[in-house]
Amino acid sequence: MSLRDIVLYPNDVLVQKASSVASVTTEVQQLVDDMVATMYDAPGIGIAAPQVGVLDRITVIDISSEENPDELRVFINPEIVHAEGTIVWEEGCLSIPGIYEKVERSNKVVVQALDREGQEFELEAEGLLAVALQHEIDHLDGVLFLDHLSPLKRRMAVKKYRKVIDGIKKKRQEAQSKKKEQD
Ligand code: NI
């Protein structure tokens, strides 16, 4: 298991549609394990493959933030087959750090997917898990939570984000040059 770099907004890979996984190979399982490690390290409650630069339809979610091992779920080729109700949740995104905005989504969704072993399953999710699923599945279609905001709110969020990201990029560069010195 190894950590992968999280792709930060704006980046082309975040606005592209990811491809279906043809078969759950050991390589795919390796990616899944790396995504889980990267999500926990961040820390976050969900991450999608495009966020680590891979355009595969894979997402992992743990709304307990590693508190409860049973909450870790792997979704390969997830599809929402039913959605109902509405819920407003303040969302954030590992690719858009420092920005949190209220987004309206379905309160309940039914999702079909393959698990880490390639077995089909169906899951009914409500509340935060439903929100996380819709947020992550959006990533597989190149859609970000910013895209759900009104044009004005989106502009304000992007403006705020630019300030946040300048600081983060500087920190990353410093860490990388430190690492090079050590190598
Ligand atoms: Ni996200």
Side-chain angles (χ1 to χ4, degrees), residues 111-180:
V111 173
Q112 287 176 352
L114 302 177
D115 64 17
R116 192 185 171 281
E117 315 309 320
Q119 297 296 313
E120 271 180 49
F121 70 98
E122 188 174 279
L123 177 78
E124 194 178 304
E126 219 178 327
L128 177 56
L129 183 56
V131 168
L133 269 164
Q134 290 165 89
H135 177 116
E136 300 307 336
I137 293 171
D138 264 0
H139 272 300
L140 307 181
D141 292 318
V143 175
L144 302 171
F145 81 98
L146 296 177
D147 300 325
H148 290 278
L149 304 178
S150 70
L152 175 66
K153 279 207 169 147
R154 189 199 156 99
R155 267 204 304 280
M156 283 166 56
V158 169
K159 200 172 161 189
K160 191 176 159 199
Y161 173 72
R162 285 209 185 99
K163 286 181 193 158
V164 175
I165 200 63
D166 285 344
I168 289 172
K169 281 193 173 153
K170 213 177 147 194
K171 251 189 211 164
R172 272 196 179 183
Q173 277 166 0
E174 279 168 7
Q176 270 172 1
S177 60
K178 223 181 213 175
K179 206 179 155 210
K180 265 183 203 150

Side-chain angles (χ1 to χ4, degrees), residues 14-182:
L14 295 176
V15 294
Q16 289 178 54
K17 202 172 157 73
S19 305
S20 293
V21 174
S23 70
V24 182
T25 58
T26 51
E27 201 183 0
V28 167
Q29 290 180 329
Q30 181 65 58
L31 171 62
V32 165
D33 296 344
D34 288 355
M35 285 169 62
V36 170
T38 305
M39 170 179 74
Y40 284 149
D41 179 69
I45 62 165
I47 196 167
Q51 292 182 276
V52 294
V54 180
L55 283 167
D56 281 350
R57 300 189 75 81
I58 302 172
T59 179
V60 298
I61 294 175
D62 178 356
I63 58 165
S64 83
S65 303
E66 220 176 348
E67 288 289 308
N68 178 0
D70 295 339
E71 294 282 337
L72 174 62
R73 292 190 176 91
V74 174
F75 302 86
I76 299 170
N77 300 339
E79 259 185 74
I80 295 173
V81 294
H82 177 77
E84 65 179 70
T86 56
I87 184 172
V88 176
W89 202 280
E90 193 173 66
E91 297 185 20
C93 180
L94 292 177
S95 293
I96 316 170
I99 303 300
Y100 301 89
E101 296 288 343
K102 283 178 181 160
V103 175
E104 186 180 307
R105 304 220 185 238
S106 300
N107 181 45
K108 203 186 229 181
V109 294
V110 178
V111 173
Q112 287 176 352
L114 302 177
D115 64 17
R116 192 185 171 281
E117 315 309 320
Q119 297 296 313
E120 271 180 49
F121 70 98
E122 188 174 279
L123 177 78
E124 194 178 304
E126 219 178 327
L128 177 56
L129 183 56
V131 168
L133 269 164
Q134 290 165 89
H135 177 116
E136 300 307 336
I137 293 171
D138 264 0
H139 272 300
L140 307 181
D141 292 318
V143 175
L144 302 171
F145 81 98
L146 296 177
D147 300 325
H148 290 278
L149 304 178
S150 70
L152 175 66
K153 279 207 169 147
R154 189 199 156 99
R155 267 204 304 280
M156 283 166 56
V158 169
K159 200 172 161 189
K160 191 176 159 199
Y161 173 72
R162 285 209 185 99
K163 286 181 193 158
V164 175
I165 200 63
D166 285 344
I168 289 172
K169 281 193 173 153
K170 213 177 147 194
K171 251 189 211 164
R172 272 196 179 183
Q173 277 166 0
E174 279 168 7
Q176 270 172 1
S177 60
K178 223 181 213 175
K179 206 179 155 210
K180 265 183 203 150
E181 276 169 31
Q182 285 166 353

